[in-house]
Amino acid sequence: MGEEELHQLIRGCMEQDRKCQKMLYKAFYGFSMAICLRYAGDRDEAAEVMNQGFFKVFTKIESYDTTRPFKAWLGRIMTNVSIDYYRANLKMAYAEDLDQAEHVFDASVATDNNLNYNDLLAMVQRLPQGYRTVFNLFAIDGYSHEEIADMLNINIGTSKSNLFKARQKLKQMILDAEAPGNYINGVNFTPVVAINAANVKPVFYNDKGIRE
């Protein structure tokens, strides 16, 4: 979609034009769903969160600064709505503070350069909600533990602990998936060694909904 066409749709949405809203929704459906899928437990939940996100987009569209990238604004809304949904609907099983967590996995575990994104996404979705949220914010979206603690209303130690345990669980899932004949959700996983957050470079909302 060209910039002029996008700005025309945005102007139409500012005027509450239903046709423009529908076209904008369709144009950014895949991008928005990719973000919500990383935070949700399954596709149905992701769709629910995404629709809440678009409702917010259409009701807050006048606050969008047209001199800034629309995808960045939209991506931030989808991330924030995912976090709001989590806080409003789910109980976080907070782990105990683990001050040494950032040191235990500084190097993390090595990753195969050919790691399949869909395989990783499916594994991340299987994490407990609290672990999944912190892992996404830290390892994928590039937020610091201080920022995550503020966003989720938790302390920094809890953020570190949840990240540590998320990585531990992901490592075990990967090892289990590597065993011959193992399937998860009916899909045979591409063999991978492990995950290293340092190799999942934060990007600002690319086509898979990951922040650059």
Side-chain angles (χ1 to χ4, degrees):
M1 177 182 293
E3 286 297 315
E4 182 56 34
E5 183 181 1
L6 174 59
H7 287 307
Q8 286 179 358
L9 287 181
I10 291 172
R11 284 194 293 271
C13 290
M14 289 179 175
E15 297 170 359
Q16 301 299 310
D17 185 304
R18 295 297 297 273
K19 182 179 179 180
C20 288
Q21 290 177 341
K22 183 176 181 179
M23 291 176 67
L24 192 74
Y25 178 93
K26 291 177 67 175
F28 291 96
Y29 173 91
F31 168 77
S32 301
M33 177 62 83
I35 295 175
C36 296
L37 276 170
R38 289 195 285 105
Y39 286 91
D42 54 46
R43 196 169 189 85
D44 288 341
E45 184 178 299
E48 180 180 350
V49 174
M50 183 191 67
N51 286 332
Q52 290 180 15
F54 271 110
F55 176 78
K56 190 170 185 178
V57 167
F58 295 140
T59 56
K60 303 290 185 181
I61 191 73
E62 291 185 358
S63 67
Y64 165 61
D65 181 354
T66 56
T67 65
R68 301 177 67 84
F70 178 74
K71 262 191 173 182
W73 184 75
L74 174 63
R76 177 58 67 89
I77 286 180
M78 291 298 165
T79 298
N80 288 344
V81 170
S82 296
I83 294 170
D84 289 343
Y85 180 90
Y86 160 67
R87 286 194 299 223
N89 295 280
L90 297 168
K91 301 280 187 183
M92 190 175 212
Y94 291 134
E96 68 279 3
D97 288 358
L98 193 61
D99 293 335
Q100 69 271 29
E102 63 179 338
H103 304 297
V104 174
F105 263 73
D106 271 352
S108 197
V109 281
T111 181
D112 189 322
N113 289 331
N114 296 319
L115 178 63
N116 183 285
Y117 176 82
N118 290 328
D119 292 352
L120 174 58
L121 174 61
M123 291 179 182
V124 170
Q125 286 180 326
R126 296 177 64 220
L127 291 171
Q129 183 72 23
Y131 300 168
R132 182 170 69 239
T133 302
V134 172
F135 179 84
N136 271 302
L137 289 171
F138 184 91
I140 308 297
D141 287 332
Y143 289 98
S144 68
H145 285 297
E146 289 77 8
E147 291 171 317
I148 295 170
D150 184 61
M151 294 167 74
L152 301 181
N153 296 322
I154 61 177
N155 59 53
I156 295 172
T158 298
S159 178
K160 292 177 181 179
S161 175
N162 284 354
L163 176 65
F164 170 77
K165 294 190 176 184
R167 285 171 167 165
Q168 290 285 67
K169 285 182 176 291
L170 284 170
K171 180 179 178 181
Q172 187 58 54
M173 278 190 270
I174 290 169
L175 293 174
D176 291 344
E178 286 180 330
N182 273 7
Y183 291 80
I184 300 179
N185 293 331
V187 178
N188 191 10
F189 276 94
T190 304
V192 291
V193 178
I195 297 170
N196 181 353
N199 290 339
V200 186
K201 297 184 183 301
V203 290
F204 195 72
Y205 293 117
N206 62 19
D207 290 338
K208 288 182 176 177
I210 302 174
R211 198 178 71 168
E212 289 181 339

